[in-house]
Amino acid sequence: MKKLVVSFVAGIMIAGTAVTTVSAQEYEVEKGDSLWMIANENDITVEELIELNDLNTSTIHPNQLLLINHKEKYKVEKGDTLNAIANNHDVTVSNLKDWNELSTDLIVIGQELLIQNSNVDQDNASESNTNENTQTAEETNTSNESSSSAGSSSEATASSNESAASNSQEQPEGQTFSVTATAYTANCDGCSGITSTGVDLNNNPDAKVIAVDPNVIPLGSEVYVEGYGYATAADVGGAIQGNKIDIHVPTKDEAYNWGVRTVDVTIVD
């Protein structure tokens, strides 16, 4: 039986908000295995295996551990940029665009990006993670001792912070005005599922996208829509003229439920 070992590496912070966990897979070589066979079974190339494991030859031996290039998905959040995501995953913007077939640097909130795992030193990562966990445990014990004498104060502070965060999210800063908002889905008759800016809504059904009149809301703008949340102006429509928008939702039922509303829109960026 083929042996595949999954190792977990420490979380990565993206743009100060989003945290993802990168998983790396190790394959234990068995008698009769070849690099071609392992690569074929794991949907990668022999060249990738050689580069990922710093191999000087294609010869492998039983019980040898090979790092398998693992692919993960990262969901775009408010404030993310391709450059920030690339930097924090130790890849290039060109890599991200190639892996996700992006023709522009525009990404939208809720969009899922495919990211191939970089060459991680598993031993160092495990040791670092262990030390971090040990330190965290010690800090937690100290924190618990302190919090027992100041519990009420901490709860009051936490409540205040939550309230402030909630108010901040409900009242984003920027130019605000009222619009008539309808809803649409990529799964409609005659729809390609691709926005005018190239976002594939078929592969990203949860993407927060609105269709706009570019003369009112510039394409690529990050906006906050009352009742919908943060989104990206990434599409246009023949009937979307003036102070009108069309929000993207995953299903027709959600589109019907939205109906036609008058909402406030804030251009955040």
Side-chain angles (χ1 to χ4, degrees):
M1 180 180 290
K2 304 299 182 183
K3 300 178 181 178
L4 197 62
V5 181
V6 180
S7 303
F8 291 96
V9 185
I12 299 177
M13 184 68 71
I14 304 296
T17 57
V19 178
T20 62
T21 300
V22 179
S23 62
Q25 294 177 321
E26 288 182 338
Y27 175 80
E28 185 174 340
V29 178
E30 296 186 351
K31 185 178 180 180
D33 280 345
S34 67
L35 280 183
W36 180 87
M37 181 190 305
I38 297 171
N40 188 54
E41 290 180 351
N42 288 278
D43 193 27
I44 59 176
T45 66
V46 172
E47 290 75 17
E48 287 176 321
L49 269 180
I50 292 175
E51 181 179 357
L52 193 62
N53 292 276
D54 294 326
L55 301 177
N56 296 320
T57 175
S58 60
T59 302
I60 54 177
H61 54 80
N63 301 323
Q64 181 179 357
L65 289 179
L66 295 177
L67 185 64
I68 303 298
N69 194 15
H70 179 63
K71 298 177 181 179
E72 61 168 332
K73 285 187 176 181
Y74 173 77
K75 181 171 286 190
V76 177
E77 296 195 353
K78 176 182 177 291
D80 280 345
T81 64
L82 272 185
N83 187 60
I85 296 172
N87 287 339
N88 283 281
H89 279 90
D90 195 25
V91 297
T92 66
V93 171
S94 296
N95 288 150
L96 288 177
K97 293 174 73 172
D98 288 344
W99 296 332
N100 294 278
E101 299 180 352
L102 301 177
S103 58
T104 71
D105 288 351
L106 177 66
I107 53 176
V108 300
I109 297 170
Q111 181 177 358
E112 289 189 337
L113 297 177
L114 184 66
I115 299 177
Q116 295 189 15
N117 194 20
S118 57
N119 191 0
V120 180
D121 187 333
Q122 294 297 307
D123 293 335
N124 291 341
S126 299
E127 181 180 352
S128 174
N129 206 23
T130 301
N131 292 337
E132 181 180 339
N133 291 337
T134 302
Q135 183 178 5
T136 301
E138 293 174 353
E139 292 174 351
T140 300
N141 290 335
T142 303
S143 176
N144 288 340
E145 291 175 1
S146 299
S147 62
S148 63
S149 61
S152 299
S153 177
S154 298
E155 290 175 4
T157 301
S159 176
S160 176
N161 289 341
E162 290 176 3
S163 177
S166 176
N167 291 336
S168 175
Q169 189 173 30
E170 292 174 0
Q171 300 175 348
E173 296 182 357
Q175 180 186 358
T176 301
F177 48 90
S178 294
V179 300
T180 299
T182 52
Y184 75 104
T185 175
N187 300 317
C188 64
D189 294 336
C191 296
S192 67
I194 309 296
T195 72
S196 61
T197 57
V199 179
D200 188 344
L201 298 178
N202 296 310
N203 292 332
N204 298 279
D206 295 323
K208 291 280 193 173
V209 167
I210 65 171
V212 300
D213 181 343
N215 294 319
V216 178
I217 302 176
L219 285 172
S221 298
E222 185 176 312
V223 301
Y224 183 84
V225 181
E226 180 185 2
Y228 183 61
Y230 286 98
T232 305
D235 207 357
V236 297
I240 308 303
Q241 302 292 327
N243 281 31
K244 292 183 179 180
I245 65 170
D246 211 7
I247 69 165
H248 168 257
V249 290
T251 66
K252 290 183 179 180
D253 286 342
E254 291 176 81
Y256 293 140
N257 289 336
W258 178 272
V260 180
R261 307 182 189 182
T262 298
V263 299
D264 286 340
V265 172
T266 300
I267 302 178
V268 181
D269 182 19

